[in-house]
Amino acid sequence: MPNQLYQVIEKPIQTDEVIRKVESRNAGAITVFIGTVREMTNGKKTLYLEYQAYKTMAEKKLNEIGNEIEYKWPNTKVAITHRIGRLEISDIAVVIAISSPHRNVAYEANRYAIERLKEMVPIWKKEVWEDGEMWMGDQLGKTRLNKG
């Protein structure tokens, strides 16, 4: 559904489509966060990432984040798309677009959105390196899953 504001998808994210969802004649600013797959993490070379999600719950939680933002910063509009599946280095994993009448709110709300996403949305990441792989426990990197 191209007009759905909060999506978890398996195909490459079209950043311009996410931005179009928040365009408004009353917006003085649109901020866009693009999360990409990096090659080096803590000195380890990543080959690729694999994301999995409980899609229905993840989209519901993304919607909750949008509601939190619109309540906290009135007159904002939010769209978030997260990709799942195998992602190669430099692929886009998540796009968050927020429009607001003023730039400071747009920046602040965008930062809030990515932090809340990592904190509460059931999306799991497996990092695959040259010498192994590991499912990460949470997206904040505070809890690692056991191998067994």
Side-chain angles (χ1 to χ4, degrees):
M1 284 190 254
N3 290 327
Q4 188 178 348
L5 294 175
Y6 309 101
Q7 290 187 290
V8 175
I9 63 174
E10 296 182 33
K11 61 183 183 187
I13 298 171
Q14 300 301 312
T15 304
D16 57 331
E17 288 179 12
V18 181
I19 294 169
R20 272 197 296 277
K21 294 176 185 178
V22 301
E23 289 177 341
S24 165
R25 293 175 61 91
N26 295 317
I30 297 175
T31 58
V32 180
F33 172 81
I34 301 172
T36 59
V37 178
R38 68 176 166 264
E39 185 172 53
M40 299 300 293
T41 301
N42 298 325
K44 289 186 106 169
K45 184 176 181 179
T46 302
L47 299 178
Y48 65 91
L49 299 180
E50 183 179 326
Y51 287 96
Q52 292 185 359
Y54 174 16
K55 186 176 174 184
T56 304
M57 181 60 74
E59 288 178 341
K60 182 178 175 186
K61 292 295 185 183
L62 293 174
N63 191 19
E64 283 180 30
I65 293 168
N67 289 339
E68 288 175 8
I69 290 169
E70 290 170 7
Y71 178 79
K72 193 172 171 98
W73 294 282
N75 303 314
T76 55
K77 192 167 181 184
V78 182
I80 305 172
T81 300
H82 201 297
R83 184 176 171 194
I84 57 174
R86 179 177 167 146
L87 278 70
E88 306 297 330
I89 304 302
S90 299
D91 280 354
I92 296 172
V94 62
V95 173
I96 300 170
I98 297 182
S99 66
S100 167
H102 305 286
R103 69 180 177 279
N104 286 342
V105 166
Y107 278 117
E108 193 174 348
N110 206 310
R111 174 69 184 247
Y112 179 87
I114 189 62
E115 297 302 330
R116 289 293 282 157
L117 185 155
K118 289 181 172 281
E119 188 177 280
M120 65 185 271
V121 179
I123 295 174
W124 302 279
K125 176 176 69 174
K126 180 168 74 174
E127 293 187 5
V128 179
W129 310 294
E130 293 175 312
D131 61 346
E133 59 187 43
M134 177 181 278
W135 281 100
M136 308 312 281
D138 64 50
Q139 291 202 53
L140 293 174
K142 294 181 179 175
T143 306
R144 296 205 180 260
L145 295 177
N146 293 330
K147 285 185 175 179

